[in-house]
């Protein structure tokens, strides 16, 4: 008498593996695009939190807090430094100013450009209002871009100092 065995046949196992392989191959390109988008969103949110830090520290300390581009231009991809600017001269003085945060250069394929209203620095006054090198009112935009995918995020600072992130349909 033969007993009936339970389990999968080799053909059933290979068919299942083939279906899984096809599904993985189809989803891989969209997964890599999702990762690129996530990296850009993460960098934009980090920059947003640093803007909030600078604003809250200016109000808390009662003195200007500056965010200064390391490249001294509208290209912020080389990083930036956030510090209390006791002399309000736009330059870091290690004897009188305190570094609150220092951003290292950004990941490959992520760029940050400021508009002409902000140029190479933005500062928050003790009132929480912004001022910038290109615009006394301090309002302006930073465009964060992933050059691999062409996707962008825009960090806007309004005249009251509130930063916010929006998406942009404009490619890099």
């Amino acid at each position: 008498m033969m007993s009936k065995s339970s389990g999968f046949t080799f053909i059933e196992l290979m068919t299942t593996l083939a279906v899984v392989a096809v599904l993985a191959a189809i989803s891989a390109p969209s997964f890599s695009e999702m990762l690129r988008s996530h990296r850009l969103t993460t960098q934009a949110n980090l920059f947003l939190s640093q803007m909030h830090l600078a604003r809250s520290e200016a109000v808390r300390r009662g003195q200007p807090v500056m965010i200064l581009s390391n490249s001294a231009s509208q290209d912020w991809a080389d990083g930036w430094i956030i510090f209390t600017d006791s002399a309000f001269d736009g330059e870091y003085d290690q004897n009188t100013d305190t570094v609150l945060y220092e951003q290292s250069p950004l990941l490959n394929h992520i760029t940050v450009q400021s508009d002409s209203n902000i140029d190479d620095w933005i500062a928050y006054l003790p009132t929480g209002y912004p001022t910038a090198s290109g615009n006394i009112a301090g309002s302006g935009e930073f465009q964060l871009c992933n050059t691999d995918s062409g996707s962008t995020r825009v960090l806007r600072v309004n005249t009251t100092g509130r930063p916010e992130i929006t998406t942009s349909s404009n490619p890099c």
Side-chain angles (χ1 to χ4, degrees):
M1 179 170 184
M2 287 186 80
S3 67
K4 187 171 181 177
S5 65
S6 62
F8 298 109
T9 66
F10 182 71
I11 293 174
E12 290 171 331
L13 180 63
M14 293 311 291
T15 303
T16 303
L17 286 176
V19 169
V20 168
V22 168
L23 290 176
I26 291 171
S27 66
S30 63
F31 184 69
S32 62
E33 177 58 35
M34 182 190 72
L35 284 176
R36 284 193 289 266
S37 177
H38 181 68
R39 284 186 194 116
L40 180 62
T41 301
T42 300
Q43 187 60 57
N45 288 335
L46 178 64
F47 199 15
L48 177 70
S49 68
Q50 293 167 4
M51 297 293 271
H52 283 293
L53 169 74
R55 186 178 188 200
S56 65
E57 285 296 311
V59 172
R60 186 178 76 80
R61 294 172 183 256
Q63 64 182 25
V65 172
M66 179 160 293
I67 305 171
L68 178 66
S69 169
N70 286 344
S71 65
S73 72
Q74 289 178 306
D75 180 9
W76 291 61
D78 289 336
W80 50 88
I81 184 172
I82 301 174
F83 61 94
T84 58
D85 192 8
S86 56
F88 199 56
D89 58 1
E91 294 184 18
Y92 173 67
D93 180 0
Q94 62 184 355
N95 296 323
T96 59
D97 298 336
T98 304
V99 173
L100 302 173
Y101 187 85
E102 196 164 350
Q103 173 66 48
S104 58
L106 302 180
L107 299 172
N108 292 338
H109 311 291
I110 303 280
T111 62
V112 178
Q113 294 285 324
S114 62
D115 65 10
S116 60
N117 287 343
I118 294 176
D119 202 20
D120 65 339
W121 64 265
I122 183 169
Y124 280 100
L125 304 173
T127 58
Y129 286 98
T131 187
S133 56
N135 179 0
I136 197 158
S139 61
E141 295 182 350
F142 294 91
Q143 182 177 15
L144 292 91
C145 179
N146 185 324
T147 56
D148 277 349
S149 65
S151 57
T152 59
R153 302 287 184 276
V154 176
L155 189 147
R156 285 191 177 93
V157 180
N158 66 20
T159 55
T160 63
R162 181 177 176 266
E164 65 178 342
I165 295 175
T166 60
T167 57
S168 174
S169 58
N170 298 335
C172 302

